[in-house]
Amino acid sequence: MTDLLRAEGIEKSFGTVRVLRGIDLSVGKGEVVGLFGPNGAGKTVLANVLSGLIFPDRGTIFFEGKEITRIPMDARFRAGLTRTFQIPGPYPTLTVVESVRVALLCGDSGRRGKSRSSRELEEEVESVLHRTGLFPQRFWLASKLSQGCLRRLEFARSISCRPKLILLDEVFSALSEKDEAELAALLRSLHGNDGVSFLLISHNPLLLEGMCNRVVAIEDGRVAWEGKSADLAAYLPVAGAHNHGQ
Amino acid sequence: MNPVAQVILDGIFTGSTYALIAAGLALILGVVKVVNLSHGAFFSLGAYVAYVLSTKGVTHPAAAALFACVIAFAFGVFLGKSFINPLRSHPFSVAVGSLGFAILFEQAAQILWGPHPVSIGAGPPWAVVSGVVVRRWGAVSLLASVVVLLGLALLLSSRWGLPIKLVAEEEEVAGSVGMDVEKIRYLTFGFASAAAAVAGALLAPAVSIAPTMGRVPLILSLIVVVASGMENVGAIFLLAVGLGLLSNLSAYLVSPQWSYVSLLSVICLLLVLRPMGLSATPLGRDY
Amino acid sequence: MDGFQRKATGALALGAGLLLLLPLAGVDLFLLDVLTTGFLLACYVGSWDIVGGVAGQISLGHALFFGTSTYACALLTSLAGWPFAAAAASAILLSTVAAAVVGTVSARLKGPFIALLTLALGELVHEVMLGQTFFSPREGYSWGGEGGVPVTLPWKALSPWAAYYLGLLFLFLAALGMTRIARSKEGLIWTAIAGSELTARASGVDIARHKRRAFLAAGALAGAAGVGFAAYVGRATSADFSLELSFQAATFSAIGGRGTIVGPVLTALALHAVLQGAGFPPAARVLLYALALLLTLRFFPEGVAGTLRSRLRARRMVSEGADR
């Protein structure tokens, strides 16, 4: 399977704290890969490095065969590599529809280089809103949405660039069962219908078992285990394995 | 008479007082985590306090410094508590608001004492060393600055400085161990503002006192803080003295205007050329 | 257009209508002059709102663009002998170039440091212009500093009423143009950057590029205001670069409501007209502006028009956008 995303030897320190100590990770086309680890293992830092929010001290990242190690986050978005944030930061003064419009203005058009008419843009916005179930709330101020809806808005933002890979950072945590189920269905539809690959970050092993083809477990900034999600239960460290607390 | 040596010595004295201002600004940046543009106005406040006292016949620097300290501390705590603390997380409000306070003071000073510079007598010479005159203001300024900065360095490395360091570096920890974080913040703001005012009162005999006199010390101390960070008190002192020296020299050799212009150029270059270095400050971080 | 935008345009039209009729009600020449300069000031403040309100960049050196324009008009007409139209076009071009420079160097900086940099740049140019003299061989003496440089105008004298109505037309068109820009797709991206740079980046927004564009638009519009000012006052002085003028741009916008365009424009006009019309000296006026600013930032941070906009949007949430 050709690698869509490949990270080699990623190291990152903050001052004297070495958070990532040499991580190798890959996601293939059409794969759903889970990233598992306890809090403090470096999952979010890794997500930040892979998405381009910060750059690694050492190591290289390839996307579709091209090196992107020092390409900034907005360029990665336009190239089809996008991410959601664990704590969504909605625009304080924009409505839901406006928030999606921003992403659509900058996402796909940058890649394809052709401009669309306002009509086409609006149609795409509405299609994204329908897909993520946000159409009824489209005129709401984004900051007034519930947690579940904010996560869906994160999804809406992410799929606006016709992504090839979405990094989901703890997107299911602290959600109601209903919201979780809806989000999971959305993920499956994106995967099944559009062939989007995912890197799903979570500290919840049951979730990863259910959704991923393959799981990578990191501990203390290093890859501790990698294998099929069905085998995840065998790896789980004895202490704190079923500790789902934040 | 050795004019260049005189300028150099006076530059060192001036620079050491600027170190007081810079140290205060560094504290505010580190503990309250804001860029405070009103800091220069507190310097002016101290100088005008010294001026008003001198018109009433009180010329001792200790008196001026004491009055300036108390008034500025009160104002600083008021400003910190009522404005800076609540708006800390809004960079626009803090930047424009603190500038607003500075301009408010400038206009008030202009209304009260007129737009033209006034001055206090420089005082009789204390000592003359190989053609160079040492006056009271210079000696007192240097002494006060060294004492205060040493005290600050000692405080920060001791048990008593722990609350300040915690609020600066680990806010959540400070809050969770029951410290009144807001109080530490506005008290720090008050102390730092008082330090700037004391500097103004001490330096008053050596400068011309005008409503916009606070702008140069503001830019200068901003350079010091941006360039040397908040941790290193020694670096702050040395850099402030160095800049004060350069500023005095260029004012003497070229013209007073050009020293302000060169300071402004320095800070522009600093900000443009080392944006990565700025990420060391609490404001530079992205996430 | 949503509810607030309709009300905003309506307010502009209403204001224009009132001001159109005002001189017919009989006002003295002094007030006419105050209002005419007010129109130009309002355009200048509106231009700040583009970069400082809509795009959310803390620009504290906006007078740099204004002064560049007035000085260009003055120097090109009086020293280089250019016709006013050519000088005016060059003035706007130069202020746009200045804005491009500022926008580029500010692009990678965080908010408070942009405030610092723009403040320092503005003060730098102001200080230089304060001491800079220009020798006019024709007149035989030097111009510059606070006395300023005269602008050589193509007309002998402009009637106060003509100046008033031209100024009003200028402001009205400029304000319409600015609201158009603010409501465009580019304006939406600017609003996103102002709201959350992080989320904008994660949405594919090239922050540096769009920040620069905001500065460009603001600089060009400030330049236009500068041309108007040079034409009306007939002189460019170093005060055109002053910190007080930069401060006023941010202050009126904050009080009026950052990002609303209409709020800053109307606030600048109203406050200037009232306070200067009442005869307050400059120091007292600026002091009152500063006081109003501090109170606004503390208690009504969204400003007049901004608070109205938030209320209307909250109400619309409830009705689920029936007017779209």
Side-chain angles (χ1 to χ4, degrees), chain B residues 9-264:
Chain B
L9 184 68
D10 286 345
I12 294 177
F13 290 147
T14 312
S16 64
T17 13
Y18 285 152
L20 265 178
I21 311 171
L25 195 64
L27 261 182
I28 294 177
L29 186 61
V31 177
V32 192
K33 300 200 174 51
V34 293
V35 172
N36 175 27
L37 297 175
S38 69
H39 209 58
F42 283 98
F43 172 83
S44 309
L45 176 67
Y48 271 103
V49 165
Y51 170 69
V52 169
L53 284 174
S54 80
T55 59
K56 310 246 189 273
V58 181
T59 55
H60 199 278
L66 186 65
F67 271 90
C69 184
V70 169
I71 296 174
F73 181 74
F75 256 118
V77 165
F78 171 69
L79 190 64
K81 202 169 175 188
S82 63
F83 193 85
I84 303 284
N85 267 3
L87 297 176
R88 278 179 66 237
S89 51
H90 299 110
F92 176 81
S93 296
V94 172
V96 180
S98 59
L99 179 67
F101 183 75
I103 291 194
L104 189 97
F105 179 82
E106 282 183 3
Q107 305 303 317
Q110 193 177 330
I111 293 175
L112 287 171
W113 297 293
H116 299 294
V118 293
S119 60
I120 310 176
W126 258 19
V128 181
V129 181
S130 53
V132 175
V133 181
V134 178
R135 295 183 201 274
R136 182 170 62 181
W137 70 264
V140 175
S141 298
L142 183 61
L143 191 66
S145 172
V146 169
V147 164
V148 170
L149 266 93
L150 263 178
L152 182 66
L154 279 171
L155 176 75
L156 287 177
S157 56
S158 79
R159 188 173 70 106
W160 301 99
L162 197 59
I164 298 175
K165 290 194 89 168
L166 264 182
V167 173
E169 282 155 32
E170 309 273 349
E171 252 180 69
E172 300 95 25
V173 176
S176 63
V177 296
M179 288 183 192
D180 189 343
V181 177
E182 293 302 308
K183 191 166 180 184
I184 293 176
R185 288 206 183 110
Y186 68 67
L187 283 179
T188 306
F189 197 88
F191 278 121
S193 306
V198 165
L202 290 177
L203 210 49
V207 297
S208 71
I209 303 172
T212 57
M213 68 185 296
R215 293 190 191 182
V216 170
L218 175 66
I219 300 293
L220 198 144
S221 43
L222 281 168
I223 295 175
V224 173
V225 168
V226 168
S228 62
M230 302 147 289
E231 319 263 291
N232 197 338
V233 177
I236 290 178
F237 183 79
L238 287 172
L239 194 51
V241 170
L243 277 176
L245 194 55
L246 275 169
S247 172
N248 248 40
L249 266 174
S250 67
Y252 172 72
L253 292 172
V254 190
S255 87
Q257 268 182 321
W258 286 100
S259 80
Y260 187 35
V261 168
S262 30
L263 280 177
L264 289 165

Side-chain angles (χ1 to χ4, degrees), chain C residues 61-229:
Chain C
H62 205 60
L64 177 58
F65 312 137
F66 182 78
T68 301
S69 173
T70 59
Y71 262 79
C73 285
L75 290 172
L76 288 173
T77 54
S78 300
L79 269 187
W82 286 25
F84 185 74
S90 313
I92 296 182
L93 183 67
L94 280 169
S95 58
T96 312
V97 167
V101 171
V102 176
T104 308
V105 296
S106 304
R108 308 216 176 272
L109 292 177
K110 292 280 171 285
F113 296 116
I114 297 183
L116 254 180
L117 180 62
T118 51
L119 182 119
L121 281 171
E123 272 290 84
L124 183 65
V125 178
H126 174 240
E127 202 62 27
V128 168
M129 288 323 234
L130 197 58
Q132 184 68 40
T133 50
F134 303 93
F135 184 70
S136 155
R138 191 173 35 146
E139 309 275 326
Y141 52 77
S142 325
W143 295 314
E146 282 175 2
V149 182
V151 181
T152 308
L153 295 163
W155 47 78
K156 265 211 222 74
L158 198 60
S159 108
W161 281 274
Y164 177 89
Y165 281 109
L166 278 171
L168 178 58
L169 180 67
F170 173 70
L171 175 63
F172 185 65
L173 291 175
L176 279 183
M178 290 188 268
T179 48
R180 211 62 193 297
I181 295 173
R183 292 171 196 172
S184 68
K185 291 195 185 115
E186 185 69 30
L188 178 65
I189 294 176
W190 291 341
T191 311
I193 294 176
S196 168
E197 268 195 39
L198 185 60
T199 311
R201 278 166 64 190
S203 306
V205 175
D206 184 343
I207 305 277
R209 186 158 126 223
H210 291 279
K211 267 193 201 178
R212 208 167 24 236
R213 285 196 194 159
F215 269 102
L216 281 174
L221 287 159
V227 165
F229 192 77

Side-chain angles (χ1 to χ4, degrees), chain A residues 7-69:
Chain A
E8 290 169 353
I10 303 294
E11 286 181 37
K12 183 71 187 174
S13 307
F14 294 106
T16 49
V17 182
R18 291 184 65 200
V19 183
L20 300 176
R21 300 161 188 253
I23 300 225
D24 294 331
L25 181 75
S26 69
V27 179
K29 277 213 183 91
E31 262 202 302
V32 179
V33 177
L35 185 62
F36 176 75
N39 289 321
K43 305 193 294 293
T44 297
V45 174
L46 183 58
N48 289 344
V49 170
L50 292 174
S51 58
L53 181 57
I54 56 181
F55 299 140
D57 299 329
R58 273 211 195 85
T60 37
I61 308 171
F62 296 92
F63 187 67
E64 294 191 301
K66 288 186 228 127
E67 190 186 336
I68 58 161
T69 323

Side-chain angles (χ1 to χ4, degrees), chain A residues 162-196:
Chain A
R162 310 265 172 105
K164 307 190 179 104
L165 173 68
I166 307 183
L167 271 162
L168 297 168
D169 191 358
E170 299 279 6
V171 74
F172 293 104
S173 68
L175 283 184
S176 69
E177 266 197 49
K178 176 171 172 287
D179 282 331
E180 195 180 297
E182 281 177 11
L183 231 47
L186 179 58
L187 204 160
R188 286 199 188 91
S189 128
L190 284 164
H191 180 233
N193 297 343
D194 307 76
V196 179

